[in-house]
Amino acid sequence: MRAASYRKFGPAADVFEFEDLPTPAPQPGQVLVRLHASGINPLDVKFRAGDRGPLGGDVAIPHYDGAGVVEAVGEGVDAGRIGERVWILEGRIGRAWGTAAEYIAIESWRAVPLGETASFEEGACLGIPAVTAWLSIAAGGDIAGKDVLVTGGAGAVGSYAIQFAKHKGARVIATVSSDEKAAQARGDGADETVNYREGDSAEAIRALTGGKGVDHISEVELGGNMAVTAKILKPGASVAAYASMAVPEAPLPFYRFLRTGPSFHIVACFVPPLEARRSTAAAIGEIVAAGKLKTHIAATWPLADIVAAHEAVENGSLRGNAVVTIG
């Protein structure tokens, strides 16, 4: 099979190679997926740069997320899955070979039915962003009829978080940084948007909740937003944070939070127990297969241009998901 690979960490232009590698055979409990698209997450570029653990083998194939068609099954897997369109969950967990290749052999449950309404490019964007978004919303418990704040509402995770919160019956407020991003967030279902670059965002959020505060936050920047968070929580509220890039050491104004008694959750999509990850993937899969989940793709590149794709993700110039197509 043809694959994009690297044998050492470093800049994309210095380490990527294109080579023919053995096509994997599905082992018991696995399926062999012919990949049509591979999603690129910030985690993928950080891993390639050497910031996220060891290489994992002599040759690494990047990317956790992807989509394609089941071509073969291993022992114990229903042969009826052959020909099924699927999206890939955790394509590099426990292995050095991910989805930037023509094929991947992976546990059957990690090849989630895609249905017929979503494209392979859209399916390749699910994985890490959609699971992270689902977990960040699920941490709020029963949110039907409650006020949920999604920070970074125009980001890949934020977009899905808005949609999942609406799916669960919440009233959603999203923070954004431009009118264009506000329009996207509203298109995804946000009831209200707040431009955090204009005026006092804490005051604006409290006004949108009638001064009561929000019940739950899906948080993209825990440390950087802590001062605002301390002012906008309803008593007993919850915060589920999946990133804190600007201020990694999140300051905690303890006595301010003592007034509202919130709970804080750190969302790490690879950490929940296996059964929880399986049920999360299945729940997302049902929504996708029903054609009820929007995905915003910023740009696509052929696999041969993976260097340019990684560089675009790395420099933060994209709004939406990045995909390489394989074929």
Side-chain angles (χ1 to χ4, degrees), residues 102-254:
E102 291 180 321
Y103 289 94
I104 188 170
I106 195 165
E107 291 85 349
S108 180
W109 73 268
R110 287 193 169 103
V112 187
L114 180 61
E116 299 299 326
T117 59
S119 69
F120 289 122
E121 290 81 6
E122 291 170 327
C125 296
L126 296 169
I128 290 174
V131 170
T132 300
W134 183 274
L135 295 174
S136 78
I137 294 302
D142 182 3
I143 57 172
K146 296 183 178 180
D147 288 321
V148 170
L149 176 67
V150 175
T151 64
V157 176
S159 169
Y160 289 139
I162 290 170
Q163 295 177 73
F164 292 148
K166 291 302 295 182
H167 177 76
K168 291 175 176 287
R171 175 175 178 260
V172 178
I173 303 168
T175 62
V176 295
S177 60
S178 69
D179 290 343
E180 182 183 14
K181 292 180 179 180
Q184 177 187 305
R186 288 182 177 275
D188 288 335
D191 298 282
E192 305 285 352
T193 59
V194 171
N195 188 329
Y196 61 82
R197 291 180 174 170
E198 297 179 351
D200 186 332
S201 57
E203 182 179 335
I205 292 166
R206 288 193 63 82
L208 290 172
T209 62
K212 297 178 181 179
V214 298
D215 296 281
H216 180 66
I217 301 177
S218 169
E219 180 60 76
V220 68
E221 179 48 53
L222 181 64
N225 290 336
M226 190 65 79
V228 172
T229 300
K231 300 175 183 177
I232 61 172
L233 295 180
K234 186 181 293 184
S238 52
V239 180
Y242 57 88
S244 191
M245 292 295 294
V247 184
E249 301 293 330
L252 185 71
F254 179 80

